[in-house]
Every structure is written in C-alpha cells, then in structure tokens.
Amino acid sequence: MNTPPPDTIHGTVVASPGTPARGLLLLGSPGAGKSDLALRLIDRGWQLVADDRVALAADAAGRLWAAAPAALAGQMEVRGIGIIDTGRAAAVPLALVLDLDAAPERLPDPQGWQAPGHQHHPLPRLGFAPFAASAAIAAERALRLHGLAPDNGAMSESPPDTAPAPAPAERLPMLVVSGMSGAGKSTTLKALEDMGYEVVDNLPLALAEALIAGSNSGPETRPLAFGIDIRTRAFAAEPLVDRLRALKHAGTDIRLLYLDCADDALVRRFSETRRRHPLAQDRPAVDGITRERNLTAPLRRWADLVIDTSDLSAADLRRRIAARLGVSADGRLTITVQSFGFANGLPRNADLVFDMRFLSNPHWEPALRPLTGEDAAVAAHVEADPAYAPAVDRIADLLTTLLPGYGREGKAYLTIAIGCTGGRHRSVAVARAITARLEAAGHPAVLEHRDLDRAASEAATPPAAPLVAGAG
C-alpha cells in the first residue's frame, strides 16, 4: 500500500452520538479489528467519519481534528462484504486513541499520543481488545472516562480552516402519542400543547411521513407531537413501528408514548360518556377494546414510555405528563420511582419491580397504622429492620449500574416500581430512600405514590388479626 501523505494517517475514526460529537481514533495493523469495532459502534448510534485513511488538521488552540479525504468520504471497507456507503460526516475533534495492536492493561495510565507531522495537545492512548463481546460498550466507557477531560485537546467546537464544516444542528425532538381509545390521548395532547409542543392529532400516515421529513426545514423551534391511533387512515402498527425504528436509527430524536388502561376502566368510561368504541359501533365496547388491544400490541411493546391511566383523573394525567416529559428536554433518561400495593395489582407501566413485603410491616403497629411511609416514625420502623439497609444498598447499586446502559441503548423513560402489600408504608418509605440515592448518584428521578390516597381510606378499618402468632 502506498505511504499516505504527511497530513493523513492509516486508521478509522468514529464520532460519538449526541451534541457535541467527539472523535475516537482506532489505530492498528490490517486485520486488527478497526472496521469490526467501528461497525459495532455505528450500530449503537455512532457515525463513521473516516476509514482506512484519516485526514488530520490542528487548530490554532492546538486541538486535533479528523475528517475523511474527499475521495473516501462516506466509504467503509468491510472484509467479506466490500465497500459500503455510511453517509458523509463532518470533521470531528479527536478525544481518544485506541491502539488495537497494543495489549490492554488492567488499570491503564493513558499515554499521550501525537500525530506525525502535527503539533497539538497530546491525546490519551489506550491498548484495546476489539473483539471482546463488550468491546463497543468498553469503547464508550473509555471515551467517557479518559477522553473528555478539559485538557485533552478535544473541547473546541470550531474546526480549523483545513477541515470540513461541522455537522448541522441536531433535529428537534418528536413525540408520537398512541394507545387505547378512551385512555386519555386528547388530554395528553392538550397537556403537551400547553408545554410548548406543536400538536397534530389523527394525522394520516402518508402525511405524517411528510411532516416528520419537513419538521426542521423551517424556522419552527417547538418540538412536535402528533397523535396516531386506530382512527388513523391506513393504520397498521407493525409498519409504523418499523418506520419509527428506521427514523431513530438515522438519528431522528423520535419517541413513542403509549397510553394504556385496564379493560374494566375503559368499559366504564365509554358507558359514562355514552360514546361508542371506534371498533364496536354495533357491539359491546369490550369487543372493540379487545380487538384494539391486539391491533396496537406492537406499539405498546416498542413504546419508549407507557402510562397506565386506569386510576388517573384528567388532572392527574396532565400532571404526570408534565412530570415525565417536562424534565426530559436535555435528552437524559427520565426516571420515575413509583410506590404501589400488590393488593391493587402491578403497575402496568413498570419497567423494574422490587418487592418490599419481606420488611417488618408498620400496619400491625396501632400507633403507626394511620401514618404513611412519608412520616418519620414509619420510615424509622422500616429502616430498623435488619434486612432494610443491605437490600436498599444493593438495589441502589444495581440501579446505578443499569441506568447508564438504558441511556446508551436509547431508552428515554424508565419506571422503577417499589411494592408492598397495601402501598402505604414500606413501599413509600423505600421509594423515597431509593429516589434520594439516585439523586445523590446524579440520576434525578420523579417520585410517585400510586396507592397512597387509596390506602388512606382503608387505613381506618382495623385489620383482621394475623393468622400466625408473631406475624409481621
């Protein structure tokens, strides 16, 4: 192979997702695994900047930028397949170098790397194993840990004159609202409109495509929300899911909110309002509900956020929409910690469920029974159980380990459900403790108590005596 000119080097550069993007330079001999690792990172949302040959340029501040030579822009060689087109990418500031020929160290001390023929701030360089199953995840962690320090020469946002212009601004976020008829879609869209969204309801799918494509072509600066349900012309859940996946994979910030509701609550709502279900004009409402649940099942499975409105009033739903969607403008994972009682059923929107029924139950203490887990006396009783501290410690450790992974995989919303028998004492106290732990670890969370008000009306009724002496 011919020796590259002084301003290019052999290697591969991929840019991290998000704004601003940071460049990861992969160095190694032919067959070392540069393209393999780059492909796995691209599948996780990264973008190819340059493959095989990388053009370098340092700016006046001594920061090193990477781009593809014009003849190779957007091209990537994949062994056994050939040349593939990944799309042209703008120049990116380099933040980290992974040397695939060097053996990785257990506790590395990154060495400074200088590009031949360029004067720039040294970049951290790590030996790296590209074929490990966790290589893509490890590369992302390496960039966060070693590649984003203020003094590593990668913090400039303006490329030098010799490099291409930066990528265009990130597209505005979009929210698709769907779900069961009668579950509160109109209330949700109105709440979003009050929060500053541009809202379009019951849009035909053919027009939705054009709306998505043109949402950032004009001066509009508001995020977009549009409703799609079984009333939509040519509604088909599977093709819609496929299209949403393709848009997200292409870099569009688009999310799906699914509104769910228990069948008996939906039947009651249609009966009270004397409305007919769209799929049961001449049959009982439950028939249309069953059919609609089957038709929209793919949307629920793929949804970024599921909200169960079975026990929510219109005002409660508006508050929940504001809590869930009003704090996610920065693109971070929106976390909800929700207490509940198993006696009233599992939360339909829960992603993770933890059972606290192994803890000592304040319900059997007459002085504590009228109180809740938000009262200090109840919290102290729960915390005094010897199993409390190790359980909460391990749950908090597990969550802080999982949350970054959910964010990397593109999950926008996560509901952590903490349950006890009635949802009044133990689950409330533990949910508050878990929320505080997450806040301290840098993961802000919304705290909700699903059954606290319901349990309040039941607390005045003395319970039956335990069946086993000493229970609780």
Side-chain angles (χ1 to χ4, degrees):
M1 184 177 292
N2 296 332
T3 302
D7 62 341
T8 66
I9 62 171
H10 289 299
T12 298
V13 174
V14 285
S16 63
T19 303
R22 303 299 183 205
L24 182 63
L25 173 60
L26 308 178
L27 297 179
S29 56
K34 299 186 294 297
S35 296
D36 182 277
L37 179 56
L39 276 175
R40 282 189 274 170
L41 288 169
I42 291 170
D43 188 56
R44 295 174 64 84
W46 290 55
Q47 189 173 20
L48 178 72
V49 176
D51 184 46
D52 188 36
R53 292 189 179 184
V54 181
L56 301 175
D59 61 17
R63 299 173 176 89
L64 192 65
W65 289 71
L72 301 178
Q75 303 296 310
M76 183 178 188
E77 180 183 353
V78 180
R79 290 176 180 267
I81 297 178
I83 304 297
I84 63 174
D85 187 353
T86 63
R88 291 174 177 265
V92 66
L94 289 179
L96 179 66
V97 178
L98 296 184
D99 188 344
L100 309 189
D101 286 336
E105 300 178 13
R106 182 174 182 181
L107 295 174
D109 181 14
Q111 302 298 312
W113 178 82
Q114 288 280 352
H118 291 276
Q119 294 296 322
H120 61 87
H121 296 306
L123 293 171
R125 177 177 183 169
L126 297 171
F128 195 80
F131 297 115
S134 61
I137 298 174
E140 292 176 338
R141 288 301 184 104
L143 178 64
R144 293 183 185 181
L145 182 62
H146 299 291
L148 299 182
D151 59 349
N152 71 0
M155 303 305 289
S156 172
E157 305 307 333
S158 300
D161 293 338
T162 55
E170 187 175 356
R171 301 190 62 165
L172 290 173
M174 284 176 280
L175 182 68
V176 179
V177 181
S178 189
M180 298 294 293
S181 299
K185 185 164 68 71
S186 297
T187 300
T188 297
L189 291 174
K190 179 59 178 174
L192 292 170
E193 188 173 30
D194 293 342
M195 292 165 53
Y197 280 75
E198 180 184 6
V199 173
V200 183
D201 190 15
N202 199 18
L203 189 68
L205 295 181
L207 297 180
E209 186 78 16
L211 184 63
I212 292 171
S215 62
N216 290 273
S217 59
E220 182 61 62
T221 59
R222 293 179 297 167
L224 174 66
F226 52 95
I228 293 179
D229 58 26
I230 56 170
R231 299 172 302 151
T232 302
R233 182 178 300 176
F235 175 83
E238 290 286 2
L240 178 57
V241 167
D242 291 341
R243 184 57 185 143
L244 293 176
R245 283 175 173 168
L247 288 168
K248 181 173 287 191
H249 186 73
T252 301
D253 184 3
I254 188 166
R255 298 170 182 178
L256 173 61
L257 165 62
Y258 186 94
L259 298 168
D260 203 353
C261 188
D263 288 0
D264 57 344
L266 290 174
V267 171
R268 184 176 64 253
R269 291 176 187 179
F270 280 105
S271 175
E272 291 172 350
T273 60
R274 298 187 179 181
R275 290 174 49 206
R276 294 187 180 275
H277 191 281
L279 297 181
Q281 294 295 327
D282 55 354
R283 298 193 307 277
V286 67
D287 292 348
I289 292 169
T290 301
R291 183 182 175 196
E292 182 180 27
R293 196 172 293 285
N294 292 331
L295 290 174
T296 62
L299 294 177
R300 194 189 193 286
R301 287 195 300 269
W302 190 79
D304 296 284
L305 173 62
V306 177
I307 295 182
D308 181 12
T309 68
S310 303
D311 299 315
L312 300 181
S313 66
D316 292 334
L317 177 57
R318 290 174 66 91
R319 283 192 291 269
R320 185 157 299 185
I321 291 297
R324 298 289 181 90
L325 301 176
V327 297
S328 61
D330 58 359
R332 292 188 301 177
L333 180 68
T334 298
I335 306 167
T336 300
V337 180
Q338 182 182 69
S339 70
F340 75 97
F342 280 96
N344 300 313
L346 284 169
R348 297 166 64 90
N349 57 328
D351 297 294
L352 301 171
V353 177
F354 297 94
D355 185 353
M356 296 297 112
R357 289 176 292 184
F358 63 91
L359 296 175
S360 175
N361 192 353
H363 185 75
W364 301 114
E365 298 291 336
L368 300 179
R369 187 178 303 146
L371 305 179
T372 74
E374 294 188 318
D375 293 300
V378 172
H381 178 94
V382 175
E383 292 170 8
D385 190 308
Y388 171 88
V392 171
D393 287 344
R394 287 169 184 167
I395 291 172
D397 288 343
L398 174 64
L399 292 175
T400 53
T401 300
L402 297 178
L403 293 180
Y406 284 125
R408 286 194 306 270
E409 291 301 316
K411 189 172 180 63
Y413 310 98
L414 184 76
T415 297
I416 303 162
I418 310 292
C420 64
T421 303
R424 179 175 177 82
H425 296 115
R426 293 167 289 181
S427 62
V428 173
V430 174
R432 291 189 66 84
I434 293 296
T435 301
R437 295 286 189 96
L438 294 178
E439 293 274 0
H443 301 288
V446 176
L447 177 61
E448 295 179 353
H449 301 307
R450 190 193 74 175
D451 296 330
L452 195 58
D453 292 337
R454 182 194 328 232
S457 63
E458 302 170 355
T461 304
L467 295 178
V468 181

